Amino acid sequence: MDQEHFDKWKDLEHDLDHAIPEEILPDIAYYRTLVVNVIMIGAPNEAWVLIDTGTRKYQDRILHACEHRYGNKPPQAIILTHGHFDHIGSAKKLAEYWNVPIYIHKNEMDFVTGKKEYPPGDPTVGGGMISLLSTIFPTKPEHLEGLVTALPHDGSVPFLEDWKYIETPGHTTGHISLFREKDRLLIAGDAISTEKPESSWAVFFPLQHVYGPPAFFTEDWISAEETVKKLANLDPDMIIAGHGLPMEGETMKKELRKLADNFIEQAIPKHKRQ
């Protein structure tokens, strides 16, 4: 699939999607864009925070989804799980529109302030069309200077008292996940997935299973394994990943533990770029 067909694929999704968020708890909703979930923390009548921002040129649809839930009330902040193009693409436009700060882990700061470039996608990992397309995915540094701030060192999340962020490196060096102890809700980012992230079929026909991080962009598999073990030890009751539908219940728990115990066999590609 070349860039022209990829753009047409995006246009098709635009026609089908009405940009309506789905509520999964009274204070949690998500909007499923073409390739990633954006998450809204906060009840409709409360202050709220946006987690991740999809790809570039998605700001209008994200705005529509947020306004459907919150009216004209802007979020207090945007929190980014990491700086890959599909999570950060609309961050600048949204932050400028709402006049709100952006937060990201300090180890991601160079990638979002014009200093460093991510490694290119690895098409050799196999598993589907998305892997093959990964070589054309943007990796150049973003320029969020003046908008972005490093998250606090103590694991606290600005404006979210009940939440803590967890360092979950592997997919990227500064990747984070968010966890709320009182209901054991995990926002995983790309530390794990609940659909096969390398497959384009999964976008249109999502089947819920617990998978490892998107292989074509994962930088450090040793750290990625340690991260999955850390997340499994949290024993979450619900997972909202960056890719895939939310999962909860015993099947999710068993699959997450199985992935943690068998990460090398289940998640690390047998054929990958060295």
Side-chain angles (χ1 to χ4, degrees), residues 198-235:
E198 297 81 23
S199 172
S200 59
W201 285 105
V203 174
F204 298 107
F205 306 103
L207 297 175
Q208 289 179 292
H209 293 289
V210 178
Y211 297 92
F216 47 84
F217 264 171
T218 296
E219 300 175 19
D220 182 344
W221 286 103
I222 294 175
S223 294
E225 180 180 15
E226 293 172 352
T227 279
V228 170
K229 292 181 184 298
K230 181 189 296 187
L231 296 182
N233 289 337
L234 289 174
D235 191 28

Side-chain angles (χ1 to χ4, degrees), residues 40-60:
M40 305 160 202
I41 300 178
N45 60 344
E46 297 176 346
W48 64 287
V49 169
L50 181 70
I51 311 298
D52 288 338
T53 65
T55 60
R56 286 188 179 183
K57 299 184 179 179
Y58 238 96
Q59 65 271 8
D60 289 343

Side-chain angles (χ1 to χ4, degrees), residues 43-134:
N45 60 344
E46 297 176 346
W48 64 287
V49 169
L50 181 70
I51 311 298
D52 288 338
T53 65
T55 60
R56 286 188 179 183
K57 299 184 179 179
Y58 238 96
Q59 65 271 8
D60 289 343
R61 290 190 164 268
I62 293 172
L63 279 171
H64 186 280
C66 293
E67 289 173 357
H68 185 271
R69 181 168 173 82
Y70 297 103
N72 293 324
K73 181 171 57 181
Q76 293 177 293
I78 295 169
I79 311 292
L80 299 173
T81 58
H82 61 297
H84 279 158
F85 81 103
D86 52 336
H87 293 254
I88 196 176
S90 294
K92 185 173 184 178
K93 294 286 188 182
L94 291 171
E96 290 176 340
Y97 178 84
W98 282 321
N99 190 27
V100 299
I102 302 169
Y103 292 90
I104 200 167
H105 191 276
K106 62 182 177 63
N107 290 345
E108 297 286 294
M109 287 292 288
D110 284 353
F111 299 101
V112 301
T113 55
K115 297 177 182 178
K116 286 186 179 179
E117 183 172 330
Y118 286 111
D122 183 357
T124 68
V125 296
M129 184 62 72
I130 302 297
S131 294
L132 297 176
L133 280 171
S134 67

Side-chain angles (χ1 to χ4, degrees), residues 146-168:
L147 297 169
V148 66
T149 301
L151 285 160
H153 294 285
D154 61 1
S156 62
V157 184
F159 306 107
L160 296 176
E161 292 184 2
D162 292 338
W163 293 79
K164 64 178 180 179
Y165 77 82
I166 302 164
E167 294 182 344
T168 48

